[in-house]
Amino acid sequence: MTAQQPAPLWPTIDALWSRLEATRAHAGREGVLLRILKLSEEVGEVAEAVLGATGQNPRKGVTHTWEDVQSELCDVAITALVALRTLTPQADEVFDSHLTRVRERPLTPEA
């Protein structure tokens, strides 16, 4: 049995972005804002999955698994990267540059 190869990140994000662009109902600034607003919906789904995995709603009980939470977190990351790609065709460069800055930030307050 061979392991499945991971999808290449940025070509996959570009392909998803292209598919979404081809079917987008709202263009221009409104379309961009709606694409970014989609992040809030996805974050809400993470919260729902965490609450469901921990059984925090006594009326519903346990409705999700921690695998559901993982999946929803992946959706948040994908949605954020597609939103970034919507803002710039150089999303990979912008992200890599920002990731480098975050990696190099000190974890403690500077004196």
Side-chain angles (χ1 to χ4, degrees):
M1 180 177 207
T2 60
Q4 184 180 8
Q5 293 295 316
L9 180 63
W10 290 108
T12 302
I13 294 300
D14 282 340
L16 291 169
W17 174 82
S18 293
R19 285 174 31 198
L20 289 169
E21 285 296 299
T23 60
R24 184 158 62 156
H26 301 280
R29 185 176 179 169
E30 182 181 21
V32 171
L33 294 175
L34 290 169
R35 178 85 36 91
I36 293 168
L37 188 58
K38 178 75 173 152
L39 273 169
S40 293
E41 178 188 14
E42 295 297 341
V43 169
E45 290 176 11
V46 170
E48 181 180 8
V50 168
L51 293 173
T54 57
Q56 291 303 300
N57 184 333
R59 188 174 50 82
K60 294 182 180 179
V62 175
T63 58
H64 291 75
T65 66
W66 287 105
E67 288 78 18
D68 294 328
V69 175
Q70 292 172 13
S71 179
E72 295 299 345
L73 286 169
C74 289
D75 286 348
V76 168
I78 292 165
T79 302
L81 293 176
V82 169
L84 180 59
R85 173 60 184 87
T86 300
L87 291 176
T88 177
Q90 290 83 32
D92 56 343
E93 296 169 20
V94 170
F95 185 81
D96 290 346
S97 175
H98 186 76
L99 184 60
T100 298
R101 285 193 307 274
V102 169
R103 181 187 64 208
E104 294 172 359
R105 280 195 304 225
L107 294 177
T108 57
E110 294 182 23

